Amino acid sequence: MCFSLSLWHIILGVLTLGVDDSRHTRAVVQNGLWIFKFVGWIALAVVAFVIPNGFFEFYSKYVAMGGAGVFLLVQLVLLVDFAYNLAEACIGRWEDTERPLWRNILVGGTCAMYLVFAIMTVADFVYFARDGCGRNQFFITANMLACILVSAIAVHPRVQEANLKSGLAQAGMVTAYATYLVTSALAGSPESSDSVPECNPLARAASARATMAVVGAFFTIGAICYSTTNAAVKSNTLIMSSGNSAYSALATDDPNEVPLTNSQMRQSALREAVANGSLPESALTDYDSDSSSQDDEKHGVQYNYTFFHVIFSMASMYAAMLLTNWNSISSTDHIIIIGRSTTAVWVKVVTSWLCIALYMWTLVGPVVLPDREWV
């Protein structure tokens, strides 16, 4: 099913390639034909059952794993972006309304994140860092030191001078998420043999497995849904393309350009003023809200249709990797527990390291490269 869904999104991405206006002939592929698209996906799912197993072995090792890895990176970028946006939203509401509620939410949320970090770290040491469990001890200690380091960097005077958005609120969210990944990885470690110390006491506890499965499924589904929808609609930012940006300057050099109406000309002038810095972005937003037209794609598509389907295709590959324990399921396994394999453990741990490293780069990047524009 994951393969057919991934392939179907690739096909839709190819069909919508180059569509930059909702009035384009092929735009209906994105905005309509729902019955035909559903039937097409079902047809691909049926055809997938007659494809030889050798193809899926190649696909899972060299295609799906690569796509899942890229999706994980996109997921981490969006997580860091979410941390910054959430903190900025609370600060903005606090400054605009002067209500202590937003300040309390910001401070309380930050304290809660660090409390979660402390509780999970202590629990990791108690349950998974027994004598002889050197790998677990390394994972927990490395994560703890990295989280403390990145939190200290976030409030360093030079960093806050170069990056006015840095602070403990964002660091707390990244710290809590990275620690959750490490905890989830350790709790999902395979059972130890009789000759090896029991480094995962939860492996044989049915209630613990059920709890971790529910919590893991909740976080996984939430992360996938948030990542796919946000990455798709933020395609212009992620692929560094400003051609369809709502605030990009209007290009008028094309001799084949369709003449604009008076309303469109006024809108274009506002867009040029915003792009040049003469007016704030709110000027264009206020104009749009006052406009009688409700078409949000009257000046071009709001997101890249092809990139939208590429993201969903990679998300399907990521789901396939989760369901196969990152290609670690063997035909001799009698009982398969999703998320419990050595490969899955390393994927989660490395993901936590990348998450901290990515956030740290957003802190030190403006310091070491002050001439570059940072968004």
Side-chain angles (χ1 to χ4, degrees):
M1 297 297 290
C2 292
F3 164 76
S4 61
L5 185 60
S6 178
L7 178 60
W8 187 229
H9 277 292
I10 290 296
I11 294 175
L12 293 177
V14 172
L15 292 177
T16 56
L17 184 64
V19 176
D20 55 2
D21 193 300
S22 59
R23 294 167 295 182
H24 195 283
T25 305
R26 287 183 284 118
V28 69
V29 176
Q30 176 74 10
N31 303 318
L33 303 178
W34 301 107
I35 296 179
F36 294 98
K37 288 190 286 190
F38 178 76
V39 172
W41 171 53
I42 295 298
L44 284 179
V46 173
V47 172
F49 283 99
V50 301
I51 299 177
N53 292 334
F55 168 80
F56 287 105
E57 292 179 1
F58 173 84
Y59 170 79
S60 62
K61 290 181 180 179
Y62 302 104
V63 180
M65 183 170 288
V70 175
F71 180 77
L72 271 178
L73 293 178
V74 173
Q75 195 176 67
L76 294 180
V77 172
L78 292 174
L79 171 69
V80 175
D81 179 69
F82 172 77
Y84 276 104
N85 289 339
L86 183 60
E88 284 297 305
C90 291
I91 295 175
R93 292 292 183 88
W94 179 23
E95 293 176 346
D96 293 339
T97 63
E98 296 183 354
R99 295 178 58 187
L101 171 64
W102 297 106
R103 179 196 59 195
N104 296 336
I105 291 177
L106 184 64
V107 176
T110 302
C111 293
M113 292 296 102
Y114 278 103
L115 181 62
V116 169
F117 159 69
I119 292 175
M120 287 194 294
T121 300
V122 172
D124 290 345
F125 274 114
V126 171
Y127 288 100
F128 308 115
R130 300 178 180 181
D131 293 337
C133 302
R135 188 190 68 173
N136 290 0
Q137 294 172 357
F138 168 73
F139 287 161
I140 301 169
T141 304
N143 177 78
M144 180 184 65
L145 295 178
C147 290
I148 294 175
L149 176 62
V150 78
S151 299
I153 294 177
V155 294
H156 192 278
R158 287 196 59 188
V159 171
Q160 291 198 321
E161 181 181 356
N163 182 2
L164 300 178
K165 297 180 180 180
S166 65
L168 288 179
Q170 303 90 334
M173 283 182 272
V174 172
T175 292
Y177 181 72
T179 306
Y180 160 75
L181 288 176
V182 173
T183 304
S184 177
L186 298 178
S189 300
E191 296 183 16
S192 304
S193 60
D194 295 336
S195 59
V196 179
E198 188 177 15
C199 298
N200 183 13
L202 304 180
R204 295 184 175 89
S207 59
R209 288 203 305 265
T211 303
M212 291 301 299
V214 173
V215 174
F218 173 79
F219 273 96
T220 300
I221 294 174
I224 291 177
C225 293
Y226 177 81
S227 301
T228 50
T229 54
N230 280 269
V233 299
K234 293 181 179 180
S235 58
N236 290 335
T237 301
L238 290 174
I239 63 180
M240 301 300 179
S241 173
S242 60
N244 294 329
S245 174
Y247 304 110
S248 61
L250 178 68
T252 58
D253 296 333
D254 187 0
N256 298 322
E257 185 178 2
V258 179
L260 301 178
T261 64
N262 291 334
S263 176
Q264 290 174 331
M265 291 175 64
R266 182 182 177 187
Q267 178 79 3
S268 301
L270 285 175
R271 290 168 62 193
E272 288 184 349
V274 170
N276 295 330
S278 303
L279 291 176
E281 293 184 358
S282 58
L284 185 55
T285 304
D286 294 340
Y287 173 78
D288 286 337
S289 62
D290 294 337
S291 177
S292 58
S293 175
Q294 299 298 320
D295 184 10
D296 61 350
E297 292 187 331
K298 59 186 176 182
H299 294 293
V301 295
Q302 294 296 305
Y303 59 93
N304 188 299
Y305 289 166
T306 299
F307 189 79
F308 174 91
H309 291 291
V310 170
I311 288 294
F312 272 85
S313 178
M314 292 190 297
S316 301
M317 297 178 188
Y318 176 66
M321 289 296 99
L322 293 179
L323 294 175
T324 60
N325 282 341
W326 293 86
N327 289 330
S328 62
I329 293 179
S330 173
S331 59
T332 59
D333 294 335
H334 300 289
I335 299 178
I336 299 175
I337 302 177
I338 302 301
R340 178 159 296 169
S341 68
T342 302
T343 305
V345 169
W346 277 102
V347 168
K348 291 180 180 180
V349 171
V350 172
T351 301
S352 71
W353 294 345
L354 291 175
C355 180
I356 295 175
L358 180 62
Y359 174 66
M360 186 176 296
W361 174 246
T362 66
L363 298 176
V364 301
V367 177
V368 298
L369 298 175
D371 296 333
R372 179 178 176 181
E373 182 179 356
W374 296 85
V375 181

